[in-house]
Amino acid sequence: MTAQARKPADAGPGDFIRDIAEADLKSGRHARIVTRFPPEPNGYLHIGHAKSICLNFGLALEHGGVCHLRFDDTNPVTEEVEYVESIMEDVRWLGFDWNDKLFYASDYFERLHDYAVGLVKQGKAYVCDLSVEKVRRDRGDFNRPGKESPCRGRGVDENLDLLHRMRAGEFPDGSRTLRAKIDMSSPNMNMRDPVMYRIKKAPHHRTGDKWCIYPMYDYAHPLSDAFEGITHSICTLEFEDHRPLYDWFIDAGPAPSKPRQIEFARLNLTHTLMSKRKLLELVERGLVSGWDDPRMPTLRGLRRRGYTPEAIRAFCGRIGVTKCPSLSEMALLEDCLRDDLNRRCPRVMAVLKPVKVVIENYPEAVVEELDAVNHPEDPSQGTRKVPFCRELYVEADDFREDPPPKFFRLAPGREVRLRYAYYVKCVGVVKDPKTGEVAELRCTYDPATRGGGSPDGRKVKATIHWVSARHAVPATIRLYDHMLNPADPGGIPEGGDLRPYLNPASLETLAGCRAEPSLAQAKPGDRWQFERQGYFCLDSKDSRPGSLHFNRTVTLRDTWAKIEKVQGTGP
Ligand code: ATP
Ligand code: MG
């Protein structure tokens, strides 16, 4: 089978990385593609990680290769078991499987240490007595070469002895490091005798107290790739300058394979953030309800909001993979989501801001079960019954006492169609004597229009949704909007307070909503289109039988594009 033929539907067009992989297979350089997704277990995965997951797993899948899941757990201080488990859950949810290829950088601690001893023996690494801070200060900068460490000329035996004692715990944290002996005047700062090991007397979530020296990412990562026989080590652009060091570590010793590092541009998305540190700040300051707040770009947040893995994969296919830094539109992600939800979600009726309607000429004792179509484009989804009686709820917004031009919905004397039901005409308005607000609409119905059509050909200009007041289930509904303004998160300064950037309209909670009775059986995570209101899912955390909570996943159309057009700022 050709590579093309294997491509999953959401793989998107080819890209430069897929071209490289295909050329390597064709030339026989590799018999099989082996990639890896290497998260550090210090936070939850976000949509940026999804881009990397789709690329790494997708590339392997399309070419009959394998993709490893490797936890880059070299920093004992910030890492937790909780993150490891959530990452596995999220990768699976996205639809990918590492099978038995689950690895931890910490499993290589012994092997990495042996490799380091080998470099010391070759005179390619030395123990440096300078503090970690001093090493940093002596690195120089782009205009100034670094200062060589006084320990650089240390003999092999002394280095071996000191490294052994570092490992044995004889020295305090940060007092010594093991450094690669490369070039303190290299124009590439990463090559200026980088630190390979630092002392950190902290227990590790997998190796416990066994180690008090831990390898640096730049050292552990290329060798972990080499140990696993990774063919293409795909990472984001910030690692481009690290590539010479990546290659140096692999070439300096007896590494079992030679992976190739390839960089691509990370995903940036309008109106949201990808930095784990900033996301953590939102959580810790209570600006959002947690990592799974439905406004968060985390996979748990998106999942709780009602996103489907298919929509996220389609989005990753649509944005493609390049080397040009860019900012993708949230609107594109939402479009991918609508495409998917439109196809799969059954339609139901729910009233978000209800106002009561009494049908004066409808008998008090009668309840009719009317047929409603579950999906207009997919007859296989069938029909359901919705109860209709004398008392209903409709959207308060679907009524205007004094309708402006082009408002075709309910108004005094105006007739509209109730979806799947009858034509009704507003014949009176009852107001709250205290507030003067509309408390109830009095209507009449035309029994000849059952099902929503008129035998005399009489036309109405609007169809509105409704629920039976006697049968509807109460619900709380949360409407979401962009988490952050401005659109470009690049404009948010580092380290500053995020509060001024949080969109105050990002969450609106509506209590007292009413949904059609079929929703009483809803299960957490179930999704629907609420007719005319958008796509919604039952919240997996706050919803209980008898106290339903729905999240609006996305509106039916991109209201932002519309607003921008009206204001003349859009395309
Ligand atoms: P931090 O926020 O701490 O810098 P990170 O986002 O790099 O962390 P890792 O756990 O190291 O998080 O990331 C795992 C993999 O996901 C890496 O290969 C990284 O390049 C990739 N990745 C992270 N963020 C993005 C992004 N926005 N777009 C594409 N890939 C990303
Ligand atoms: Mg990282």
Side-chain angles (χ1 to χ4, degrees), residues 6 20-35 59-68 98-101 103 228-232 257-259:
R6 261 183 231 268
I20 292 172
E22 276 157 33
D24 286 347
L25 287 173
K26 209 165 155 198
S27 72
R29 181 173 168 176
H30 298 296
R32 192 169 75 145
I33 303 294
V34 186
T35 56
L59 185 70
L61 218 64
E62 290 153 32
H63 297 93
V66 287
C67 179
H68 298 183
W98 52 91
N99 296 309
D100 59 342
K101 304 296 183 198
F103 302 98
E228 291 174 20
I230 301 298
T231 55
H232 301 83
S257 77
K258 189 165 167 49

mmCIF file of all heavy atoms in Angstrom, residues 6 20-35 59-68 98-101 103 228-232 257-259:
data_model
loop_
_atom_site.group_PDB
_atom_site.id
_atom_site.type_symbol
_atom_site.label_atom_id
_atom_site.label_comp_id
_atom_site.label_asym_id
_atom_site.label_seq_id
_atom_site.Cartn_x
_atom_site.Cartn_y
_atom_site.Cartn_z
ATOM 1 N N ARG A 6 -2.732 5.126 2.736
ATOM 2 C CA ARG A 6 -2.891 4.860 4.153
ATOM 3 C C ARG A 6 -3.376 6.067 4.937
ATOM 4 O O ARG A 6 -3.743 5.963 6.090
ATOM 5 C CB ARG A 6 -1.523 4.524 4.733
ATOM 6 C CG ARG A 6 -1.250 3.076 4.887
ATOM 7 C CD ARG A 6 0.111 2.992 5.547
ATOM 8 N NE ARG A 6 0.981 2.109 4.822
ATOM 9 C CZ ARG A 6 1.094 0.816 5.089
ATOM 10 N NH1 ARG A 6 0.410 0.287 6.043
ATOM 11 N NH2 ARG A 6 1.904 0.068 4.400
ATOM 12 N N ILE A 20 10.142 14.322 4.160
ATOM 13 C CA ILE A 20 11.431 13.779 4.629
ATOM 14 C C ILE A 20 11.277 12.296 4.955
ATOM 15 O O ILE A 20 12.083 11.452 4.548
ATOM 16 C CB ILE A 20 11.927 14.553 5.876
ATOM 17 C CG1 ILE A 20 12.304 15.997 5.504
ATOM 18 C CG2 ILE A 20 13.102 13.829 6.543
ATOM 19 C CD1 ILE A 20 12.618 16.890 6.703
ATOM 20 N N ALA A 21 10.208 11.976 5.694
ATOM 21 C CA ALA A 21 10.000 10.586 6.100
ATOM 22 C C ALA A 21 9.839 9.687 4.880
ATOM 23 O O ALA A 21 10.428 8.595 4.808
ATOM 24 C CB ALA A 21 8.775 10.489 7.002
ATOM 25 N N GLU A 22 9.065 10.169 3.906
ATOM 26 C CA GLU A 22 8.849 9.351 2.708
ATOM 27 C C GLU A 22 10.139 9.159 1.924
ATOM 28 O O GLU A 22 10.426 8.056 1.436
ATOM 29 C CB GLU A 22 7.741 9.969 1.845
ATOM 30 C CG GLU A 22 6.367 9.525 2.347
ATOM 31 C CD GLU A 22 5.220 10.450 1.979
ATOM 32 O OE1 GLU A 22 5.263 11.061 0.893
ATOM 33 O OE2 GLU A 22 4.267 10.546 2.793
ATOM 34 N N ALA A 23 10.947 10.219 1.838
ATOM 35 C CA ALA A 23 12.235 10.102 1.136
ATOM 36 C C ALA A 23 13.145 9.114 1.858
ATOM 37 O O ALA A 23 13.850 8.319 1.220
ATOM 38 C CB ALA A 23 12.896 11.476 1.030
ATOM 39 N N ASP A 24 13.120 9.143 3.199
ATOM 40 C CA ASP A 24 13.977 8.229 3.964
ATOM 41 C C ASP A 24 13.565 6.774 3.791
ATOM 42 O O ASP A 24 14.410 5.866 3.822
ATOM 43 C CB ASP A 24 13.952 8.601 5.458
ATOM 44 C CG ASP A 24 14.749 9.872 5.734
ATOM 45 O OD1 ASP A 24 15.503 10.306 4.837
ATOM 46 O OD2 ASP A 24 14.610 10.427 6.841
ATOM 47 N N LEU A 25 12.280 6.560 3.624
ATOM 48 C CA LEU A 25 11.816 5.186 3.393
ATOM 49 C C LEU A 25 12.203 4.736 1.982
ATOM 50 O O LEU A 25 12.680 3.620 1.775
ATOM 51 C CB LEU A 25 10.297 5.101 3.561
ATOM 52 C CG LEU A 25 9.764 5.191 4.989
ATOM 53 C CD1 LEU A 25 8.235 5.274 4.977
ATOM 54 C CD2 LEU A 25 10.216 3.996 5.832
ATOM 55 N N LYS A 26 12.035 5.658 1.056
ATOM 56 C CA LYS A 26 12.308 5.344 -0.347
ATOM 57 C C LYS A 26 13.786 5.045 -0.573
ATOM 58 O O LYS A 26 14.159 4.105 -1.284
ATOM 59 C CB LYS A 26 11.877 6.529 -1.207
ATOM 60 C CG LYS A 26 11.443 6.128 -2.595
ATOM 61 C CD LYS A 26 10.683 7.258 -3.261
ATOM 62 C CE LYS A 26 10.785 7.135 -4.759
ATOM 63 N NZ LYS A 26 10.449 8.385 -5.426
ATOM 64 N N SER A 27 14.633 5.838 0.067
ATOM 65 C CA SER A 27 16.073 5.658 -0.141
ATOM 66 C C SER A 27 16.618 4.472 0.648
ATOM 67 O O SER A 27 17.772 4.105 0.511
ATOM 68 C CB SER A 27 16.815 6.921 0.291
ATOM 69 O OG SER A 27 16.799 7.002 1.714
ATOM 70 N N GLY A 28 15.778 3.922 1.518
ATOM 71 C CA GLY A 28 16.238 2.799 2.328
ATOM 72 C C GLY A 28 17.012 3.224 3.567
ATOM 73 O O GLY A 28 17.549 2.389 4.296
ATOM 74 N N ARG A 29 17.073 4.517 3.823
ATOM 75 C CA ARG A 29 17.772 4.988 5.020
ATOM 76 C C ARG A 29 17.105 4.419 6.275
ATOM 77 O O ARG A 29 17.767 4.095 7.261
ATOM 78 C CB ARG A 29 17.738 6.513 5.036
ATOM 79 C CG ARG A 29 18.446 7.088 6.223
ATOM 80 C CD ARG A 29 18.556 8.591 6.146
ATOM 81 N NE ARG A 29 18.979 9.097 7.443
ATOM 82 C CZ ARG A 29 19.237 10.353 7.691
ATOM 83 N NH1 ARG A 29 19.133 11.248 6.725
ATOM 84 N NH2 ARG A 29 19.612 10.730 8.885
ATOM 85 N N HIS A 30 15.791 4.334 6.240
ATOM 86 C CA HIS A 30 15.061 3.685 7.325
ATOM 87 C C HIS A 30 14.078 2.695 6.733
ATOM 88 O O HIS A 30 13.448 2.967 5.718
ATOM 89 C CB HIS A 30 14.269 4.703 8.149
ATOM 90 C CG HIS A 30 15.138 5.715 8.823
ATOM 91 N ND1 HIS A 30 16.055 5.379 9.787
ATOM 92 C CD2 HIS A 30 15.212 7.062 8.670
ATOM 93 C CE1 HIS A 30 16.672 6.476 10.198
ATOM 94 N NE2 HIS A 30 16.193 7.518 9.533
ATOM 95 N N ALA A 31 13.956 1.547 7.416
ATOM 96 C CA ALA A 31 12.983 0.566 6.955
ATOM 97 C C ALA A 31 11.616 0.870 7.559
ATOM 98 O O ALA A 31 10.579 0.473 7.036
ATOM 99 C CB ALA A 31 13.423 -0.841 7.373
ATOM 100 N N ARG A 32 11.630 1.600 8.670
ATOM 101 C CA ARG A 32 10.378 1.867 9.374
ATOM 102 C C ARG A 32 10.497 3.199 10.108
ATOM 103 O O ARG A 32 11.564 3.511 10.663
ATOM 104 C CB ARG A 32 10.148 0.744 10.394
ATOM 105 C CG ARG A 32 8.763 0.745 10.971
ATOM 106 C CD ARG A 32 8.507 -0.524 11.745
ATOM 107 N NE ARG A 32 9.198 -0.483 13.027
ATOM 108 C CZ ARG A 32 8.697 -1.025 14.144
ATOM 109 N NH1 ARG A 32 7.545 -1.658 14.106
ATOM 110 N NH2 ARG A 32 9.365 -0.955 15.254
ATOM 111 N N ILE A 33 9.419 3.954 10.099
ATOM 112 C CA ILE A 33 9.412 5.240 10.798
ATOM 113 C C ILE A 33 9.131 5.013 12.282
ATOM 114 O O ILE A 33 8.177 4.321 12.642
ATOM 115 C CB ILE A 33 8.295 6.158 10.227
ATOM 116 C CG1 ILE A 33 8.466 6.373 8.723
ATOM 117 C CG2 ILE A 33 8.218 7.472 10.983
ATOM 118 C CD1 ILE A 33 9.700 7.146 8.335
ATOM 119 N N VAL A 34 9.979 5.575 13.120
ATOM 120 C CA VAL A 34 9.730 5.521 14.558
ATOM 121 C C VAL A 34 9.776 6.951 15.096
ATOM 122 O O VAL A 34 10.805 7.624 14.994
ATOM 123 C CB VAL A 34 10.777 4.647 15.302
ATOM 124 C CG1 VAL A 34 10.392 4.496 16.776
ATOM 125 C CG2 VAL A 34 10.926 3.285 14.640
ATOM 126 N N THR A 35 8.648 7.408 15.625
ATOM 127 C CA THR A 35 8.580 8.758 16.192
ATOM 128 C C THR A 35 8.267 8.640 17.678
ATOM 129 O O THR A 35 8.069 7.529 18.186
ATOM 130 C CB THR A 35 7.476 9.576 15.502
ATOM 131 O OG1 THR A 35 6.244 8.866 15.635
ATOM 132 C CG2 THR A 35 7.782 9.807 14.036
ATOM 133 N N LEU A 59 2.107 10.560 11.566
ATOM 134 C CA LEU A 59 3.197 10.232 10.648
ATOM 135 C C LEU A 59 3.526 8.737 10.709
ATOM 136 O O LEU A 59 3.679 8.068 9.679
ATOM 137 C CB LEU A 59 4.432 11.060 11.024
ATOM 138 C CG LEU A 59 5.647 10.944 10.115
ATOM 139 C CD1 LEU A 59 5.375 11.615 8.777
ATOM 140 C CD2 LEU A 59 6.868 11.596 10.766
ATOM 141 N N ALA A 60 3.624 8.221 11.924
ATOM 142 C CA ALA A 60 3.943 6.799 12.089
ATOM 143 C C ALA A 60 2.822 5.934 11.510
ATOM 144 O O ALA A 60 3.066 5.004 10.740
ATOM 145 C CB ALA A 60 4.164 6.480 13.564
ATOM 146 N N LEU A 61 1.597 6.287 11.852
ATOM 147 C CA LEU A 61 0.438 5.521 11.407
ATOM 148 C C LEU A 61 0.331 5.454 9.883
ATOM 149 O O LEU A 61 0.073 4.410 9.297
ATOM 150 C CB LEU A 61 -0.810 6.209 11.964
ATOM 151 C CG LEU A 61 -1.959 5.359 12.441
ATOM 152 C CD1 LEU A 61 -1.531 4.512 13.626
ATOM 153 C CD2 LEU A 61 -3.118 6.266 12.867
ATOM 154 N N GLU A 62 0.575 6.615 9.260
ATOM 155 C CA GLU A 62 0.426 6.679 7.810
ATOM 156 C C GLU A 62 1.480 5.856 7.086
ATOM 157 O O GLU A 62 1.321 5.515 5.920
ATOM 158 C CB GLU A 62 0.557 8.140 7.335
ATOM 159 C CG GLU A 62 -0.603 9.015 7.738
ATOM 160 C CD GLU A 62 -0.182 10.465 7.864
ATOM 161 O OE1 GLU A 62 0.717 10.901 7.123
ATOM 162 O OE2 GLU A 62 -0.749 11.165 8.733
ATOM 163 N N HIS A 63 2.594 5.573 7.764
ATOM 164 C CA HIS A 63 3.691 4.871 7.083
ATOM 165 C C HIS A 63 3.963 3.504 7.679
ATOM 166 O O HIS A 63 5.040 2.951 7.500
ATOM 167 C CB HIS A 63 4.955 5.735 7.129
ATOM 168 C CG HIS A 63 4.789 7.034 6.387
ATOM 169 N ND1 HIS A 63 4.393 8.186 7.014
ATOM 170 C CD2 HIS A 63 4.908 7.332 5.075
ATOM 171 C CE1 HIS A 63 4.299 9.155 6.111
ATOM 172 N NE2 HIS A 63 4.606 8.673 4.931
ATOM 173 N N GLY A 64 2.988 2.991 8.414
ATOM 174 C CA GLY A 64 3.168 1.668 8.993
ATOM 175 C C GLY A 64 4.268 1.626 10.039
ATOM 176 O O GLY A 64 4.858 0.573 10.296
ATOM 177 N N GLY A 65 4.552 2.765 10.662
ATOM 178 C CA GLY A 65 5.583 2.809 11.696
ATOM 179 C C GLY A 65 4.980 2.780 13.086
ATOM 180 O O GLY A 65 3.824 2.390 13.257
ATOM 181 N N VAL A 66 5.786 3.191 14.063
ATOM 182 C CA VAL A 66 5.272 3.246 15.433
ATOM 183 C C VAL A 66 5.623 4.595 16.051
ATOM 184 O O VAL A 66 6.598 5.239 15.663
ATOM 185 C CB VAL A 66 5.855 2.136 16.348
ATOM 186 C CG1 VAL A 66 5.270 0.786 16.003
ATOM 187 C CG2 VAL A 66 7.369 2.105 16.302
ATOM 188 N N CYS A 67 4.796 4.979 17.017
ATOM 189 C CA CYS A 67 5.078 6.196 17.771
ATOM 190 C C CYS A 67 5.123 5.838 19.248
ATOM 191 O O CYS A 67 4.221 5.186 19.771
ATOM 192 C CB CYS A 67 3.994 7.243 17.503
ATOM 193 S SG CYS A 67 4.271 8.766 18.426
ATOM 194 N N HIS A 68 6.200 6.231 19.888
ATOM 195 C CA HIS A 68 6.355 5.949 21.318
ATOM 196 C C HIS A 68 5.756 7.079 22.144
ATOM 197 O O HIS A 68 5.809 8.245 21.730
ATOM 198 C CB HIS A 68 7.839 5.858 21.689
ATOM 199 C CG HIS A 68 8.566 4.747 20.981
ATOM 200 N ND1 HIS A 68 9.887 4.465 21.215
ATOM 201 C CD2 HIS A 68 8.151 3.852 20.051
ATOM 202 C CE1 HIS A 68 10.262 3.444 20.464
ATOM 203 N NE2 HIS A 68 9.228 3.064 19.730
ATOM 204 N N TRP A 98 -0.235 3.988 21.836
ATOM 205 C CA TRP A 98 1.194 3.699 21.784
ATOM 206 C C TRP A 98 1.460 2.190 21.945
ATOM 207 O O TRP A 98 2.598 1.764 21.942
ATOM 208 C CB TRP A 98 1.936 4.500 22.867
ATOM 209 C CG TRP A 98 1.330 4.302 24.229
ATOM 210 C CD1 TRP A 98 1.678 3.350 25.150
ATOM 211 C CD2 TRP A 98 0.253 5.054 24.822
ATOM 212 N NE1 TRP A 98 0.882 3.468 26.266
ATOM 213 C CE2 TRP A 98 -0.002 4.496 26.097
ATOM 214 C CE3 TRP A 98 -0.519 6.128 24.400
ATOM 215 C CZ2 TRP A 98 -0.991 4.991 26.956
ATOM 216 C CZ3 TRP A 98 -1.505 6.618 25.247
ATOM 217 C CH2 TRP A 98 -1.740 6.057 26.497
ATOM 218 N N ASN A 99 0.377 1.424 22.096
ATOM 219 C CA ASN A 99 0.496 -0.020 22.316
ATOM 220 C C ASN A 99 1.465 -0.307 23.456
ATOM 221 O O ASN A 99 1.296 0.244 24.530
ATOM 222 C CB ASN A 99 0.869 -0.727 21.019
ATOM 223 C CG ASN A 99 -0.254 -0.569 19.986
ATOM 224 O OD1 ASN A 99 -1.414 -0.847 20.302
ATOM 225 N ND2 ASN A 99 0.061 -0.069 18.811
ATOM 226 N N ASP A 100 2.514 -1.114 23.200
ATOM 227 C CA ASP A 100 3.424 -1.406 24.316
ATOM 228 C C ASP A 100 4.603 -0.428 24.351
ATOM 229 O O ASP A 100 5.558 -0.632 25.087
ATOM 230 C CB ASP A 100 3.925 -2.855 24.227
ATOM 231 C CG ASP A 100 4.664 -3.120 22.919
ATOM 232 O OD1 ASP A 100 4.493 -2.325 21.951
ATOM 233 O OD2 ASP A 100 5.415 -4.104 22.843
ATOM 234 N N LYS A 101 4.536 0.632 23.547
ATOM 235 C CA LYS A 101 5.683 1.544 23.456
ATOM 236 C C LYS A 101 5.549 2.711 24.430
ATOM 237 O O LYS A 101 5.466 3.873 24.039
ATOM 238 C CB LYS A 101 5.825 2.077 22.020
ATOM 239 C CG LYS A 101 5.950 0.986 20.968
ATOM 240 C CD LYS A 101 7.209 0.186 21.159
ATOM 241 C CE LYS A 101 7.366 -0.870 20.065
ATOM 242 N NZ LYS A 101 8.326 -1.920 20.472
ATOM 243 N N PHE A 103 7.395 4.615 27.468
ATOM 244 C CA PHE A 103 8.738 4.744 28.038
ATOM 245 C C PHE A 103 8.823 5.945 28.968
ATOM 246 O O PHE A 103 8.003 6.859 28.882
ATOM 247 C CB PHE A 103 9.775 4.889 26.921
ATOM 248 C CG PHE A 103 9.777 3.732 25.959
ATOM 249 C CD1 PHE A 103 9.109 3.806 24.748
ATOM 250 C CD2 PHE A 103 10.444 2.551 26.284
ATOM 251 C CE1 PHE A 103 9.094 2.735 23.867
ATOM 252 C CE2 PHE A 103 10.440 1.474 25.404
ATOM 253 C CZ PHE A 103 9.770 1.563 24.193
ATOM 254 N N GLU A 228 15.932 4.399 21.926
ATOM 255 C CA GLU A 228 14.667 3.826 21.434
ATOM 256 C C GLU A 228 14.650 3.631 19.922
ATOM 257 O O GLU A 228 13.654 3.157 19.377
ATOM 258 C CB GLU A 228 13.489 4.732 21.837
ATOM 259 C CG GLU A 228 13.228 4.709 23.329
ATOM 260 C CD GLU A 228 12.157 5.711 23.758
ATOM 261 O OE1 GLU A 228 11.356 6.140 22.899
ATOM 262 O OE2 GLU A 228 12.145 6.061 24.945
ATOM 263 N N GLY A 229 15.721 4.011 19.254
ATOM 264 C CA GLY A 229 15.743 3.860 17.788
ATOM 265 C C GLY A 229 14.778 4.779 17.072
ATOM 266 O O GLY A 229 14.227 4.433 16.022
ATOM 267 N N ILE A 230 14.562 5.969 17.664
ATOM 268 C CA ILE A 230 13.695 6.953 17.014
ATOM 269 C C ILE A 230 14.366 7.371 15.692
ATOM 270 O O ILE A 230 15.571 7.640 15.668
ATOM 271 C CB ILE A 230 13.511 8.198 17.928
ATOM 272 C CG1 ILE A 230 12.893 7.799 19.280
ATOM 273 C CG2 ILE A 230 12.708 9.290 17.223
ATOM 274 C CD1 ILE A 230 11.527 7.199 19.216
ATOM 275 N N THR A 231 13.581 7.405 14.617
ATOM 276 C CA THR A 231 14.171 7.818 13.336
ATOM 277 C C THR A 231 14.036 9.327 13.133
ATOM 278 O O THR A 231 14.961 9.976 12.678
ATOM 279 C CB THR A 231 13.497 7.081 12.157
ATOM 280 O OG1 THR A 231 12.081 7.296 12.218
ATOM 281 C CG2 THR A 231 13.799 5.585 12.214
ATOM 282 N N HIS A 232 12.872 9.865 13.486
ATOM 283 C CA HIS A 232 12.621 11.288 13.285
ATOM 284 C C HIS A 232 12.149 11.891 14.601
ATOM 285 O O HIS A 232 11.071 11.544 15.085
ATOM 286 C CB HIS A 232 11.580 11.501 12.177
ATOM 287 C CG HIS A 232 12.019 10.908 10.860
ATOM 288 N ND1 HIS A 232 11.846 9.580 10.555
ATOM 289 C CD2 HIS A 232 12.665 11.471 9.813
ATOM 290 C CE1 HIS A 232 12.357 9.348 9.347
ATOM 291 N NE2 HIS A 232 12.865 10.479 8.872
ATOM 292 N N SER A 257 21.822 4.429 17.913
ATOM 293 C CA SER A 257 21.222 4.814 16.632
ATOM 294 C C SER A 257 21.366 6.322 16.477
ATOM 295 O O SER A 257 21.726 7.013 17.434
ATOM 296 C CB SER A 257 19.743 4.416 16.564
ATOM 297 O OG SER A 257 18.956 5.314 17.322
ATOM 298 N N LYS A 258 21.094 6.812 15.276
ATOM 299 C CA LYS A 258 21.270 8.233 15.037
ATOM 300 C C LYS A 258 19.971 8.861 14.552
ATOM 301 O O LYS A 258 19.702 8.929 13.350
ATOM 302 C CB LYS A 258 22.392 8.470 14.027
ATOM 303 C CG LYS A 258 22.752 9.943 13.911
ATOM 304 C CD LYS A 258 24.073 10.150 13.209
ATOM 305 C CE LYS A 258 24.296 11.604 12.796
ATOM 306 N NZ LYS A 258 24.070 12.612 13.822
ATOM 307 N N PRO A 259 19.160 9.317 15.515
ATOM 308 C CA PRO A 259 17.909 9.968 15.136
ATOM 309 C C PRO A 259 18.170 11.330 14.515
ATOM 310 O O PRO A 259 19.232 11.922 14.741
ATOM 311 C CB PRO A 259 17.175 10.153 16.469
ATOM 312 C CG PRO A 259 18.050 9.593 17.530
ATOM 313 C CD PRO A 259 19.383 9.295 16.961
#
